[in-house]
Amino acid sequence: MTSRTEPTESVVRLRMTGPQRRAQLIDVARGLFALRGLDGTTIEEIAQAAGVSKPVVYEHFGSKEALYTQVVDVEFHILLRSVSTALGGKASSRELLERAALALLDYIENSTEGFRILMRDAPPSQPEGAFSTLLSNIAARVEHIMVDEFERRGFNPRDGAIYAQMLVGMVAMTGQWWLDERSPDKKEVAAHLVNLAWNGLRGLSTEPVLKVDE
């Protein structure tokens, strides 16, 4: 089986259009960046793995950092689109939570390299970190679900933003753990996530206080 980051005769000899070559370089770079990170990967390695010369890489992206930013941007939008789709349409709050958890785990399973990249080096365009930016975007989409659920249950809807952050953080941290464990299977992991989140929501106090302050 040929590694995705090793050049083959078919890759070397194939004449590609500009968009095809750009997509190929992004795909090759994804594998190397996931394995070695931004600092540990060189333009020479990317060019060799793609079966092209260094000037070809520079022609399409200008620099290694720009290529890395493009790889991150592609993965960022793939995952964000997946979660946003899961949160769309008519469904109960619990069903939306189940869909979102499964969407993240599906992405981790099918785009492991991309997820590793999102969690590591921050691209120049996102100094705060790609994964942190992504989670903030997802939390903003989850917030309206929490607000609606809080209103239905008689809670202060303004607290929905806090719980959206906690919920997304819980799912994201579990996803990072599952990235390497891969056991139990993703549906069981999602079921446990929803069990904690949903049953915890059912038992919420409308005015929580810390016991230490009593």
Side-chain angles (χ1 to χ4, degrees):
M1 182 174 180
T2 302
S3 170
R4 66 185 297 178
T5 57
E6 294 179 356
T8 64
E9 288 188 10
S10 61
V11 172
V12 173
R13 294 177 180 176
L14 180 63
R15 295 183 64 85
M16 297 183 180
T17 64
Q20 287 174 333
R21 180 63 73 189
R22 187 179 179 87
Q24 182 224 11
L25 290 171
I26 289 174
D27 186 58
V28 168
R30 180 192 298 110
L32 291 171
F33 286 142
L35 181 64
R36 302 173 187 172
L38 173 60
D39 293 336
T41 304
T42 66
I43 287 290
E44 289 87 348
E45 291 169 329
I46 295 170
Q48 182 180 14
V52 300
S53 63
K54 286 170 54 180
V56 172
V57 182
Y58 286 118
E59 177 186 347
H60 283 278
F61 299 99
S63 67
K64 181 179 70 171
E65 289 72 21
L67 173 54
Y68 185 81
T69 296
Q70 184 62 46
V71 170
V72 169
D73 188 63
V74 169
E75 295 301 321
F76 183 98
H77 285 94
I78 288 174
L79 179 50
L80 184 59
R81 185 166 54 249
S82 177
V83 174
S84 296
T85 299
L87 294 174
K90 295 287 185 179
S92 67
S93 296
R94 174 168 180 144
E95 288 172 333
L96 290 173
L97 177 58
E98 291 177 354
R99 291 179 188 176
L102 278 173
L104 175 62
L105 295 175
D106 281 340
Y107 174 80
I108 294 173
E109 183 176 65
N110 299 320
S111 301
T112 300
E113 291 178 343
F115 190 68
R116 290 189 188 282
I117 289 171
L118 290 177
M119 290 193 305
R120 55 191 315 170
D121 313 302
S125 63
Q126 294 176 327
E128 71 278 13
F131 198 54
S132 295
T133 302
L134 178 71
L135 294 185
S136 294
N137 274 269
I138 294 174
R141 287 161 170 74
V142 171
E143 184 176 339
H144 78 276
I145 298 173
M146 301 302 294
V147 168
D148 290 346
E149 191 63 29
F150 272 38
E151 287 181 334
R152 190 177 71 81
R153 293 171 179 267
F155 290 84
N156 186 340
R158 288 179 298 178
D159 292 336
I162 301 174
Y163 285 85
Q165 292 288 339
M166 290 189 288
L167 180 60
V168 171
M170 179 182 72
V171 175
M173 287 298 295
T174 304
Q176 291 181 54
W177 165 80
W178 190 72
L179 174 65
D180 294 314
E181 294 293 328
R182 298 301 176 96
S183 177
D185 67 66
K186 63 184 177 185
K187 288 189 175 181
E188 185 174 347
V189 173
H192 283 294
L193 279 168
V194 175
N195 182 42
L196 175 59
W198 189 255
N199 289 320
L201 180 62
R202 289 176 60 186
L204 285 181
S205 169
T206 55
E207 296 183 5
V209 294
L210 298 176
K211 292 293 184 181
V212 70
D213 293 331
E214 292 182 348

